[in-house]
Amino acid sequence: MAAIALEHYLLLSAGLFAVGLFGVLAKRNVIVVLMSIELMLNGVNVALVAFSRYTAPNELSGHIFAIFIITVAAAEVAIGLAILLTIFARRNTVDAAEINLLK
Amino acid sequence: MVTLAFFFLATTALIGAFAVVTARNIFYAALGLLVSLAAVAGIYVTLDADFLALAQFLIYVGGIAVLIVFAVMMTAQINRASRSHRLWPLGLLTGAVTLAGLAYVLANAQWEHQGRADTISPMVGDAASPGLHLPDLLFSVYLLPFELAGVLLLVATIGALVIARER
Protein backbone atom coordinates (compact mmCIF):
# COMPACT_ATOMS: atom_id res chain seq x y z
CA MET A 1 0.00 0.00 0.00
CA ALA A 2 1.36 3.39 -0.95
CA ALA A 3 2.47 5.72 1.80
CA ILE A 4 0.34 8.73 2.55
CA ALA A 5 1.57 11.90 0.88
CA LEU A 6 1.36 15.45 2.13
CA GLU A 7 -1.36 16.06 -0.46
CA HIS A 8 -3.69 13.58 1.24
CA TYR A 9 -3.54 15.52 4.47
CA LEU A 10 -3.96 18.83 2.66
CA LEU A 11 -6.99 17.48 0.80
CA LEU A 12 -8.56 16.41 4.10
CA SER A 13 -7.75 19.84 5.50
CA ALA A 14 -9.31 21.58 2.50
CA GLY A 15 -12.40 19.37 2.81
CA LEU A 16 -12.91 20.20 6.49
CA PHE A 17 -12.36 23.89 5.78
CA ALA A 18 -14.83 23.96 2.87
CA VAL A 19 -17.54 22.11 4.83
CA GLY A 20 -17.03 24.53 7.73
CA LEU A 21 -17.20 27.50 5.38
CA PHE A 22 -20.49 26.26 3.99
CA GLY A 23 -21.84 25.86 7.51
CA VAL A 24 -20.78 29.36 8.55
CA LEU A 25 -22.40 30.91 5.48
CA ALA A 26 -25.56 28.83 5.25
CA LYS A 27 -26.79 27.94 8.73
CA ARG A 28 -29.11 30.14 10.74
CA ASN A 29 -28.55 28.70 14.19
CA VAL A 30 -25.65 30.53 15.84
CA ILE A 31 -24.55 27.36 17.69
CA VAL A 32 -24.17 25.53 14.36
CA VAL A 33 -22.22 28.51 12.99
CA LEU A 34 -19.85 28.27 15.99
CA MET A 35 -19.45 24.52 15.37
CA SER A 36 -18.63 25.21 11.74
CA ILE A 37 -15.96 27.71 12.78
CA GLU A 38 -14.43 24.97 14.92
CA LEU A 39 -14.41 22.70 11.86
CA MET A 40 -12.57 25.34 9.82
CA LEU A 41 -9.97 25.85 12.56
CA ASN A 42 -9.47 22.09 12.74
CA GLY A 43 -8.92 21.91 8.99
CA VAL A 44 -6.27 24.60 9.24
CA ASN A 45 -4.59 22.77 12.13
CA VAL A 46 -4.40 19.56 10.11
CA ALA A 47 -2.69 21.46 7.28
CA LEU A 48 -0.21 23.13 9.65
CA VAL A 49 0.76 19.89 11.39
CA ALA A 50 1.02 18.05 8.06
CA PHE A 51 3.28 20.74 6.61
CA SER A 52 5.38 20.66 9.75
CA ARG A 53 5.69 16.86 9.56
CA TYR A 54 6.56 16.68 5.87
CA THR A 55 8.62 19.79 5.13
CA ALA A 56 10.42 20.49 8.42
CA PRO A 57 10.13 17.45 10.70
CA ASN A 58 12.87 18.76 12.99
CA GLU A 59 11.37 22.12 13.85
CA LEU A 60 7.85 21.51 15.20
CA SER A 61 6.84 25.07 14.33
CA GLY A 62 3.57 23.82 12.86
CA HIS A 63 2.78 22.16 16.17
CA ILE A 64 3.36 25.45 17.99
CA PHE A 65 0.96 27.20 15.62
CA ALA A 66 -1.63 24.49 16.15
CA ILE A 67 -1.33 24.72 19.96
CA PHE A 68 -1.98 28.45 19.88
CA ILE A 69 -4.88 28.04 17.45
CA ILE A 70 -6.45 25.51 19.82
CA THR A 71 -6.02 27.99 22.68
CA VAL A 72 -7.61 30.84 20.77
CA ALA A 73 -10.43 28.54 19.62
CA ALA A 74 -11.17 27.62 23.23
CA ALA A 75 -11.33 31.30 24.22
CA GLU A 76 -13.49 32.07 21.19
CA VAL A 77 -16.02 29.34 21.99
CA ALA A 78 -16.24 30.40 25.64
CA ILE A 79 -16.93 34.03 24.74
CA GLY A 80 -19.18 33.13 21.81
CA LEU A 81 -21.39 30.86 23.89
CA ALA A 82 -21.55 33.43 26.70
CA ILE A 83 -22.77 36.05 24.23
CA LEU A 84 -25.19 33.52 22.77
CA LEU A 85 -26.68 32.64 26.16
CA THR A 86 -27.11 36.34 26.98
CA ILE A 87 -28.86 36.95 23.68
CA PHE A 88 -31.06 33.92 24.25
CA ALA A 89 -31.98 35.14 27.73
CA ARG A 90 -33.01 38.54 26.35
CA ARG A 91 -34.48 37.78 22.93
CA ASN A 92 -35.37 34.09 23.29
CA THR A 93 -33.80 33.15 19.97
CA VAL A 94 -30.56 31.70 18.64
CA ASP A 95 -31.43 32.41 15.01
CA ALA A 96 -28.83 34.61 13.32
CA ALA A 97 -31.51 36.13 11.09
CA GLU A 98 -33.55 37.30 14.10
CA ILE A 99 -30.63 38.80 16.02
CA ASN A 100 -30.84 42.35 14.68
CA LEU A 101 -30.04 44.53 17.69
CA LEU A 102 -28.00 46.92 15.59
CA LYS A 103 -30.75 47.67 13.11
CA MET B 1 -1.55 -0.03 8.34
CA VAL B 2 -1.00 3.70 8.79
CA THR B 3 -2.49 4.27 5.37
CA LEU B 4 -5.57 2.33 6.35
CA ALA B 5 -5.83 4.25 9.63
CA PHE B 6 -5.44 7.54 7.80
CA PHE B 7 -8.21 6.84 5.31
CA PHE B 8 -10.52 5.55 8.02
CA LEU B 9 -9.92 8.62 10.21
CA ALA B 10 -10.14 11.05 7.30
CA THR B 11 -13.46 9.56 6.18
CA THR B 12 -14.79 9.69 9.74
CA ALA B 13 -13.71 13.31 10.15
CA LEU B 14 -15.40 14.33 6.90
CA ILE B 15 -18.59 12.39 7.67
CA GLY B 16 -18.73 14.08 11.07
CA ALA B 17 -18.21 17.47 9.42
CA PHE B 18 -21.04 16.79 6.96
CA ALA B 19 -23.25 15.76 9.86
CA VAL B 20 -22.61 19.15 11.49
CA VAL B 21 -23.88 21.08 8.49
CA THR B 22 -26.60 18.71 7.30
CA ALA B 23 -28.19 17.29 10.48
CA ARG B 24 -31.68 18.63 11.05
CA ASN B 25 -31.46 18.07 14.78
CA ILE B 26 -28.94 20.40 16.46
CA PHE B 27 -27.98 17.75 19.00
CA TYR B 28 -26.98 15.38 16.19
CA ALA B 29 -24.91 18.20 14.70
CA ALA B 30 -23.08 18.51 18.03
CA LEU B 31 -22.46 14.75 18.08
CA GLY B 32 -21.14 14.95 14.52
CA LEU B 33 -18.74 17.67 15.64
CA LEU B 34 -17.58 15.43 18.48
CA VAL B 35 -16.89 12.54 16.08
CA SER B 36 -15.07 14.82 13.66
CA LEU B 37 -12.86 16.34 16.38
CA ALA B 38 -11.98 12.90 17.77
CA ALA B 39 -11.06 11.68 14.28
CA VAL B 40 -8.80 14.72 13.79
CA ALA B 41 -7.07 13.78 17.06
CA GLY B 42 -6.37 10.39 15.45
CA ILE B 43 -5.06 12.16 12.36
CA TYR B 44 -2.55 13.96 14.61
CA VAL B 45 -1.34 10.59 15.87
CA THR B 46 -0.62 9.48 12.29
CA LEU B 47 1.42 12.70 11.94
CA ASP B 48 3.59 11.87 15.01
CA ALA B 49 2.01 14.76 16.91
CA ASP B 50 1.14 12.84 20.07
CA PHE B 51 1.01 15.88 22.33
CA LEU B 52 -1.33 17.68 19.95
CA ALA B 53 -3.55 14.61 19.73
CA LEU B 54 -3.83 14.60 23.50
CA ALA B 55 -4.48 18.35 23.62
CA GLN B 56 -7.11 17.95 20.90
CA PHE B 57 -8.87 15.29 22.94
CA LEU B 58 -8.72 17.19 26.22
CA ILE B 59 -9.58 20.65 24.92
CA TYR B 60 -11.86 19.98 21.94
CA VAL B 61 -13.56 16.68 22.73
CA GLY B 62 -13.52 17.12 26.50
CA GLY B 63 -14.04 20.87 26.70
CA ILE B 64 -15.39 22.64 23.66
CA ALA B 65 -17.74 19.87 22.49
CA VAL B 66 -19.22 19.50 25.99
CA LEU B 67 -19.61 23.28 26.22
CA ILE B 68 -21.45 23.29 22.90
CA VAL B 69 -23.72 20.43 24.02
CA PHE B 70 -24.49 22.47 27.15
CA ALA B 71 -25.34 25.48 25.00
CA VAL B 72 -27.60 23.32 22.83
CA MET B 73 -29.41 22.11 25.94
CA MET B 74 -29.70 25.54 27.56
CA THR B 75 -31.12 27.23 24.50
CA ALA B 76 -33.81 24.52 24.49
CA GLN B 77 -34.39 24.40 20.77
CA ILE B 78 -33.15 20.89 20.25
CA ASN B 79 -36.28 19.70 18.56
CA ARG B 80 -36.44 22.70 16.28
CA ALA B 81 -34.70 21.90 13.00
CA SER B 82 -31.31 23.47 12.26
CA ARG B 83 -32.43 25.54 9.34
CA SER B 84 -30.44 27.13 6.53
CA HIS B 85 -30.71 30.60 5.10
CA ARG B 86 -32.76 31.26 2.00
CA LEU B 87 -29.43 31.92 0.29
CA TRP B 88 -27.84 28.61 1.29
CA PRO B 89 -27.01 27.60 -2.32
CA LEU B 90 -24.71 30.63 -2.39
CA GLY B 91 -22.92 29.27 0.68
CA LEU B 92 -22.68 25.86 -0.97
CA LEU B 93 -21.22 27.50 -4.08
CA THR B 94 -18.64 29.38 -2.00
CA GLY B 95 -17.65 26.20 -0.17
CA ALA B 96 -17.41 24.21 -3.40
CA VAL B 97 -15.37 26.92 -5.14
CA THR B 98 -13.01 27.13 -2.14
CA LEU B 99 -12.55 23.36 -2.13
CA ALA B 100 -12.00 23.23 -5.89
CA GLY B 101 -9.52 26.12 -5.71
CA LEU B 102 -7.55 24.54 -2.88
CA ALA B 103 -7.55 21.15 -4.62
CA TYR B 104 -6.37 22.76 -7.85
CA VAL B 105 -3.55 24.59 -6.07
CA LEU B 106 -2.31 21.54 -4.21
CA ALA B 107 -2.49 19.39 -7.32
CA ASN B 108 -0.15 21.82 -9.07
CA ALA B 109 2.10 23.11 -6.32
CA GLN B 110 5.69 22.01 -5.79
CA TRP B 111 6.70 22.01 -2.15
CA GLU B 112 10.21 21.98 -0.83
CA HIS B 113 10.21 18.59 0.78
CA GLN B 114 13.15 17.32 2.69
CA GLY B 115 13.12 14.31 0.42
CA ARG B 116 10.10 13.48 -1.65
CA ALA B 117 6.64 13.48 -0.17
CA ASP B 118 5.77 9.95 -1.17
CA THR B 119 8.98 8.51 0.22
CA ILE B 120 8.60 9.94 3.69
CA SER B 121 6.03 7.86 5.42
CA PRO B 122 4.64 9.27 8.63
CA MET B 123 5.49 7.09 11.61
CA VAL B 124 9.13 6.52 10.71
CA GLY B 125 9.86 6.31 14.38
CA ASP B 126 11.98 9.09 15.80
CA ALA B 127 12.08 11.24 12.67
CA ALA B 128 10.67 14.14 14.68
CA SER B 129 14.14 14.60 16.14
CA PRO B 130 14.51 12.79 19.44
CA GLY B 131 16.06 15.65 21.38
CA LEU B 132 13.45 18.26 20.57
CA HIS B 133 10.10 18.25 22.32
CA LEU B 134 7.19 20.64 22.24
CA PRO B 135 7.44 21.76 25.90
CA ASP B 136 11.13 22.61 25.45
CA LEU B 137 10.17 24.96 22.64
CA LEU B 138 7.16 26.39 24.47
CA PHE B 139 9.24 27.32 27.50
CA SER B 140 12.20 28.76 25.60
CA VAL B 141 11.76 30.16 22.09
CA TYR B 142 8.00 30.63 22.32
CA LEU B 143 7.81 31.70 25.96
CA LEU B 144 6.29 35.11 25.27
CA PRO B 145 3.44 33.82 23.05
CA PHE B 146 2.87 31.09 25.62
CA GLU B 147 2.45 33.64 28.42
CA LEU B 148 0.25 35.78 26.17
CA ALA B 149 -1.96 32.74 25.53
CA GLY B 150 -2.31 32.41 29.30
CA VAL B 151 -3.37 36.05 29.57
CA LEU B 152 -5.81 35.55 26.69
CA LEU B 153 -7.42 32.59 28.46
CA LEU B 154 -7.70 34.57 31.70
CA VAL B 155 -9.31 37.49 29.87
CA ALA B 156 -11.67 35.10 28.05
CA THR B 157 -12.68 33.41 31.31
CA ILE B 158 -13.44 36.69 33.07
CA GLY B 159 -15.11 38.07 29.95
CA ALA B 160 -17.35 35.04 29.57
CA LEU B 161 -18.35 35.25 33.24
CA VAL B 162 -19.15 38.95 32.99
CA ILE B 163 -21.10 38.58 29.75
CA ALA B 164 -23.15 35.56 30.86
CA ARG B 165 -23.88 36.95 34.36
CA GLU B 166 -27.53 37.22 35.33
CA ARG B 167 -28.57 40.84 35.57
Side-chain angles (χ1 to χ4, degrees), chain B residues 3-4 7 22 25 40 53 62 68 77 85 91 107 125 135 137 140 147 150:
Chain B
T3 316
L4 209 65
F7 282 112
T22 54
N25 186 321
V40 169
I68 284 177
Q77 295 187 323
H85 280 293
L137 279 174
S140 58
E147 297 291 343

Side-chain angles (χ1 to χ4, degrees), chain A:
Chain A
M1 218 182 289
I4 320 151
L6 173 60
E7 281 77 6
H8 289 100
Y9 284 103
L10 294 183
L11 204 60
L12 167 66
S13 155
L16 286 174
F17 188 86
V19 173
L21 185 62
F22 165 67
V24 168
L25 291 175
K27 302 310 274 189
R28 293 179 65 152
N29 190 313
V30 180
I31 300 178
V32 181
V33 171
L34 274 172
M35 291 190 223
S36 304
I37 293 175
E38 295 309 313
L39 282 180
M40 292 171 79
L41 288 168
N42 259 282
V44 172
N45 273 349
V46 169
L48 284 171
V49 178
F51 269 123
S52 177
R53 178 66 186 78
Y54 278 93
T55 66
N58 298 318
E59 285 176 28
L60 295 180
S61 34
H63 294 210
I64 299 280
F65 266 111
I67 289 272
F68 286 119
I69 290 179
I70 289 178
T71 313
V72 173
E76 170 247 319
V77 164
I79 296 285
L81 290 180
I83 293 174
L84 182 74
L85 288 180
T86 309
I87 290 176
F88 183 74
R90 294 185 169 205
R91 317 254 325 197
N92 204 27
T93 181
V94 286
D95 191 330
E98 289 170 30
I99 298 170
N100 49 7
L101 294 160
L102 284 178
K103 248 185 197 170

